């Protein structure tokens, strides 16, 4: 079993900056954390080790609070529960079938984060000074979360097998979006220029967002956020369902949503090799 040292990127940068300034004051850094990898001797541990050797991405089912919550400067107001042992293999099988199998090895090299965390649940935290932790945990499971250098899958639990077909399609689209989010954050690719050209948030409001070609109202929009929303929707809904939800003279008065949707479908198919119709209607 190999001992792997995970050193946060911000600590490396701090060390380099300090080394460049001989007069810099030495300060204590955060504790370094060590992990055994692979994390066990199960069949899936061997698979995770092979996966890391092929793609350079760790799959972890035991992780610290910092692994999930640290975002470089503060801790996220979310928490992730440790995976249920019996659900680890089914969870990774779902990730492969719902997402990873859809990309070439070259594309996966771009999409995959530093680590994937298999969790029994991802939950939002809300402030509560009366709690010892200072927070309440929201009961609903977010399912998928993209953090600083990780994507967390929140259904490494017994509930995965009992999810409805619709819920599984939600998870599938969320996984794709999370990996695209990671790749964009590491500048592995850029939002296509043709999509950026269609983006305009001028006059955005709760009543005007549809005419601007946005799928839902957000107080603050960027071209990246808009792009990721269209990635999710294009992979979640087949063409008929998307049309019912988002198109037509009432829902898309300017026609800009239709233009973005057509562009995204072409882009995902031609640039990423995704079989969109198959993904839309996949039995998971």
């Amino acid at each position: 079993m190999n001992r792997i040292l995970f050193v946060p990127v911000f600590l490396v940068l701090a060390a380099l900056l300090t080394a460049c300034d001989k007069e810099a004051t030495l300060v204590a850094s955060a504790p370094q954390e060590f992990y055994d990898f692979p994390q066990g001797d199960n069949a899936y541990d061997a698979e995770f080790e092979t996966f890391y050797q092929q793609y350079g991405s760790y799959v972890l089912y035991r992780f610290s609070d910092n692994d999930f919550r640290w975002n470089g400067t503060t801790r996220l107001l979310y928490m992730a529960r440790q995976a249920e042992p019996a659900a680890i293999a089914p969870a990774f099988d779902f990730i492969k079938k719902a997402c990873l199998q859809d990309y070439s090895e070259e594309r996966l090299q771009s999409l995959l984060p530093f680590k994937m965390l298999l969790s029994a649940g991802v939950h939002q935290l809300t402030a509560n000074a009366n709690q010892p932790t200072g927070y309440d945990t929201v009961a609903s499971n977010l399912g998928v979360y993209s953090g600083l250098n990780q994507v967390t899958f929140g259904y490494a639990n017994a509930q995965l097998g009992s999810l409805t077909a619709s819920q599984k399609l939600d998870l599938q689209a969320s996984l794709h979006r999370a990996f695209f989010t990671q790749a964009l954050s590491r500048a592995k690719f850029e939002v296509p220029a043709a999509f950026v050209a269609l983006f305009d948030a001028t006059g955005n409001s709760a009543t005007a967002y549809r005419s601007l070609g946005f799928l839902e109202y957000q107080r603050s929009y960027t071209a990246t956020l808009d792009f990721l929303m269209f990635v999710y929707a294009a992979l979640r809904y087949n063409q008929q369902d998307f049309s019912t939800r988002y198109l037509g003279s009432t829902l898309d008065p300017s026609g800009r949503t239709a233009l973005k949707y057509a562009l995204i479908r072409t882009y995902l198919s031609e640039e990423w090799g995704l079989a969109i119709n198959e993904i839309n209607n996949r039995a998971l």
Side-chain angles (χ1 to χ4, degrees), residues 88-121:
I88 293 171
F92 193 61
D93 286 343
F94 181 90
I95 293 171
K96 290 186 294 183
K97 183 177 181 180
C99 185
L100 302 185
Q101 69 166 2
D102 294 316
Y103 299 93
S104 67
E105 182 172 345
E106 179 183 1
R107 284 307 195 180
L108 280 179
Q109 296 286 355
S110 298
L111 284 177
L112 290 172
F114 177 66
K115 59 194 174 192
M116 285 187 281
L117 306 181
L118 302 182
S119 165

Side-chain angles (χ1 to χ4, degrees), residues 229-281:
M229 285 186 169
F230 270 87
V231 167
Y232 174 88
L235 295 177
R236 172 59 184 88
Y237 305 112
N238 61 39
Q239 289 177 287
Q240 181 176 343
D241 288 343
F242 186 95
S243 179
T244 300
R245 286 174 173 269
Y246 300 116
L247 301 182
S249 59
T250 301
L251 300 177
D252 182 25
S254 67
R256 190 172 296 181
T257 298
L259 291 175
K260 289 180 179 179
Y261 178 57
L263 189 155
I264 285 291
R265 282 183 59 90
T266 299
Y267 172 76
L268 292 176
S269 175
E270 295 183 355
E271 295 296 323
W272 293 88
L274 296 183
I276 299 175
N277 291 337
E278 177 186 332
I279 293 171
N280 291 157
N281 299 290

Side-chain angles (χ1 to χ4, degrees), residues 37-70:
F37 188 84
Q39 295 183 304
D41 56 4
N42 303 283
Y44 53 75
D45 288 296
E47 182 179 10
F48 296 162
E49 187 171 23
T50 300
F51 188 83
Y52 170 75
Q53 292 169 350
Q54 185 173 4
Y55 297 109
S57 181
Y58 293 96
V59 181
L60 305 174
Y61 50 86
R62 289 196 298 269
F63 48 88
S64 71
D65 190 55
N66 279 343
D67 282 326
F68 174 77
R69 293 186 62 202
W70 185 249

Side-chain angles (χ1 to χ4, degrees), residues 68-82:
F68 174 77
R69 293 186 62 202
W70 185 249
N71 73 350
T73 56
T74 59
R75 285 176 173 79
L76 300 167
L77 289 177
Y78 297 88
M79 62 85 68
R81 295 186 286 119
Q82 300 294 308

Side-chain angles (χ1 to χ4, degrees), residues 220-236:
S220 179
Y221 255 109
T222 64
T224 297
L225 175 59
D226 192 23
F227 169 79
L228 290 169
M229 285 186 169
F230 270 87
V231 167
Y232 174 88
L235 295 177
R236 172 59 184 88

